[in-house]
């Protein structure tokens, strides 16, 4: 493959990913090696296990990405890597590898914010998409509603006060014995269930802010299932999943629509693993259409953690001269840039 390429590396959580991306966003190769199977029996990601698994999987993933793209180390224009937020031991594996490549080949290092990269997965997939827009960042660790007036400019309108959306899906799934990650399983089961079967609480729905709270809902689901079990009537798991998901999504849709009305911004993008949720996509899409606004979300492979979005944002950072020194640190908590 000819042209100019960045190597992208992503190891912030439980996906080891490497990608080769051209200057215009052409994905030469994208390798994603998921550790979900390793963490499944624990019902969540075990940080120590994740760090070790990244160490084993990263170099083979990088080699495979370069080989699939037909690109050698010498064809690279730089290396983009997730710096944070994420699990520190996992981030360090990717960041250290990226620094080594940059040091050895005298290449620029692009130290990428994981949340910003999730937002940029939308620009990668929709080349004509431009700000201003609203971004709803929903992942295992975050729930943020963000106004993005221009490229790389962010104003956080609201966020979760307790559990992140993905975390709530994962915890409810763990309680129901459905394994990890919980989001995809609940999404699937919910399609066979009645979203109105159980009236779970819609926290902070009309509080006038753009904040979210999910820990009370999670407790309500657990209490409901325990109570029905004690009464000897096992609730249908499909109905529990559908009713829980409806409670999560209804508040999200309500607040996003309000943000569209208040800001006058007519484009909304979904970002992060929970952007894969089919009920959120469908309900939000309908609600936005009614307001004359449009919803964008990346295809599944670019919704979940992946190095293509990291490399794509890396290109923009390189063009802006936003290059990191080789002693840049990994950081577990990192806000979006200003
Ligand atoms: O962005 P991501 O891959 O990793 C983080 O940066 O956290 O998001 C992972 C989260 C998990 O909590 C997973 O349960 C959730 O995304 N998720 C979903 C779906 N697919 C993945 N949640 C709801 N519905 C889905 N279809
Ligand atoms: Zn993520």
């Amino acid at each position: 493959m000819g042209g100019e390429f960045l190597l992208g590396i992503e190891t912030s959580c439980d996906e080891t990913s490497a990608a080769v991306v051209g200057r215009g966003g052409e994905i030469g190769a994208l390798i994603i090696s998921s550790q979900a199977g390793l963490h499944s029996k624990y019902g969540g990601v075990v940080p120590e296990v994740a760090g070790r698994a990244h160490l084993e999987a990263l170099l083979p993933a990088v080699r495979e990405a370069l080989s699939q793209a037909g690109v050698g180390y010498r064809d690279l224009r730089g290396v983009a890597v997730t710096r944070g937020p994420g699990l520190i031991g996992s981030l360090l594996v990717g960041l250290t590898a990226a620094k080594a490549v940059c040091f050895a080949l005298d290449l620029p290092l692009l130290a990428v914010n994981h949340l910003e990269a999730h937002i940029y997965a939308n620009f990668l997939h929709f080349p004509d998409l431009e700000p201003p827009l609203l971004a709803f960042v929903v992942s295992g660790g975050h729930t943020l509603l963000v106004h993005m007036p221009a490229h790389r400019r962010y104003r956080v309108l609201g966020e979760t006060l307790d559990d992140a959306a993905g975390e709530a899906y994962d915890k409810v799934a763990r309680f129901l014995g459905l394994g990890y990650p919980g989001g995809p399983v609940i999404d699937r089961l919910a399609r066979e269930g009645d979203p109105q079967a159980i009236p779970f609480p819609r926290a902070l729905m009309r509080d006038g802010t753009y904040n979210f709270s999910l820990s009370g809902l999670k407790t309500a689901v657990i209490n409901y299932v325990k109570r029905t079990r004690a009464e000897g009537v096992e609730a249908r798991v499909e109905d529990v999943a559908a009713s829980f998901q409806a409670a999560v999504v209804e508040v999200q849709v309500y607040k996003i629509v309000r943000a569209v009305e208040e800001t006058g911004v007519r484009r909304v993008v979904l970002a992060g693993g929970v952007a894969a949720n089919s009920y959120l996509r469908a309900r939000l899409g309908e609600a936005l259409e009614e307001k004359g606004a449009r919803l964008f979300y990346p295809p599944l492979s670019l919704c979940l953690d992946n190095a293509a979005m990291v490399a794509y944002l890396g290109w923009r950072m390189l063009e802006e001269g936003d290059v990191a020194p080789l002693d840049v640190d990994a950081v577990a908590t990192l806000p979006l840039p200003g």
Side-chain angles (χ1 to χ4, degrees):
M1 206 167 164
E4 293 192 288
F5 298 94
L6 283 190
L7 172 65
I9 293 178
E10 156 66 43
T11 63
S12 68
C13 189
D14 62 340
E15 254 84 42
T16 312
S17 180
V20 173
V21 174
R23 186 186 283 278
E26 320 83 68
I27 302 178
L30 171 57
I31 308 296
I32 303 175
S33 149
S34 174
Q35 308 172 3
L38 273 183
H39 302 289
S40 183
K41 62 173 174 286
Y42 305 107
V45 178
V46 184
E48 178 64 23
V49 173
R52 284 166 191 268
H54 283 304
L55 263 182
E56 280 177 25
L58 182 57
L59 292 185
V62 167
R63 270 189 223 115
E64 180 63 22
L66 291 171
S67 137
Q68 272 189 19
V71 165
Y73 279 107
R74 306 236 164 245
D75 303 319
L76 296 175
R77 280 281 287 117
V79 182
V81 62
T82 301
R83 179 195 177 206
L87 301 170
I88 198 75
S90 292
L91 290 164
L92 277 170
V93 175
L95 186 61
T96 308
K99 285 177 178 178
V101 176
C102 290
F103 181 70
L105 299 172
D106 195 21
L107 289 173
L109 175 70
L110 296 315
V112 171
N113 180 309
H114 182 77
L115 301 179
E116 192 178 17
H118 270 305
I119 294 174
Y120 269 80
N122 286 284
F123 297 109
L124 169 58
H125 189 68
F126 299 102
D128 296 330
L129 180 65
E130 287 291 329
L133 45 83
L134 292 170
F136 189 46
V137 185
V138 265
S139 70
H142 297 85
T143 303
L144 290 174
L145 183 56
V146 183
H147 177 209
M148 184 178 183
H151 273 294
R152 307 208 63 210
R153 293 269 168 273
Y154 307 96
R155 185 167 63 94
V156 176
L157 301 176
E159 58 196 313
T160 181
L161 303 180
D162 39 63
D163 291 354
E167 189 182 351
Y169 278 95
D170 293 340
K171 285 178 175 168
V172 165
R174 178 164 60 186
F175 176 76
L176 297 173
L178 303 173
Y180 172 86
V185 192
I186 291 189
D187 192 347
R188 204 172 53 241
L189 285 173
R191 278 177 220 150
E192 314 293 320
D194 174 6
Q196 283 164 352
I198 310 149
F200 288 130
R202 271 75 170 147
L204 307 187
M205 180 105 156
R206 284 164 218 279
D207 71 335
T209 75
Y210 293 113
N211 293 329
F212 301 88
S213 166
L214 289 175
S215 73
L217 171 60
K218 173 193 65 195
T219 309
V221 173
I222 293 173
N223 288 344
Y224 176 84
V225 173
K226 282 186 178 158
R227 196 173 66 242
T228 48
R229 266 180 205 162
E231 289 164 358
V233 270
E234 189 77 14
R236 267 188 84 222
V237 70
E238 292 85 354
D239 289 341
V240 176
S243 301
F244 159 72
Q245 184 173 264
V248 174
V249 168
E250 233 175 74
V251 181
Q252 294 174 338
V253 170
Y254 182 86
K255 296 210 171 195
I256 295 167
V257 167
R258 235 193 73 226
V260 165
E261 287 169 345
E262 271 187 19
T263 59
V265 173
R266 313 219 83 72
R267 284 181 290 258
V268 177
V269 306
L270 294 178
V274 184
N277 188 265
S278 60
Y279 194 69
L280 170 63
R281 290 175 168 194
R283 296 300 304 273
L284 186 57
E286 288 158 17
L288 290 177
E289 204 180 305
E290 265 174 38
K291 299 285 167 190
R294 217 185 128 189
L295 178 65
F296 298 83
Y297 44 79
L300 200 59
S301 60
L302 298 178
C303 270
L304 304 175
D305 289 346
N306 71 88
M309 65 185 189
V310 174
Y312 180 71
L313 175 56
W315 270 117
R316 181 170 281 275
M317 293 169 71
L318 183 63
E319 273 150 21
E320 289 177 1
D322 185 1
V323 172
L326 284 190
D327 63 355
V328 66
D329 284 332
V331 268
T333 50
L334 183 66
L336 281 167

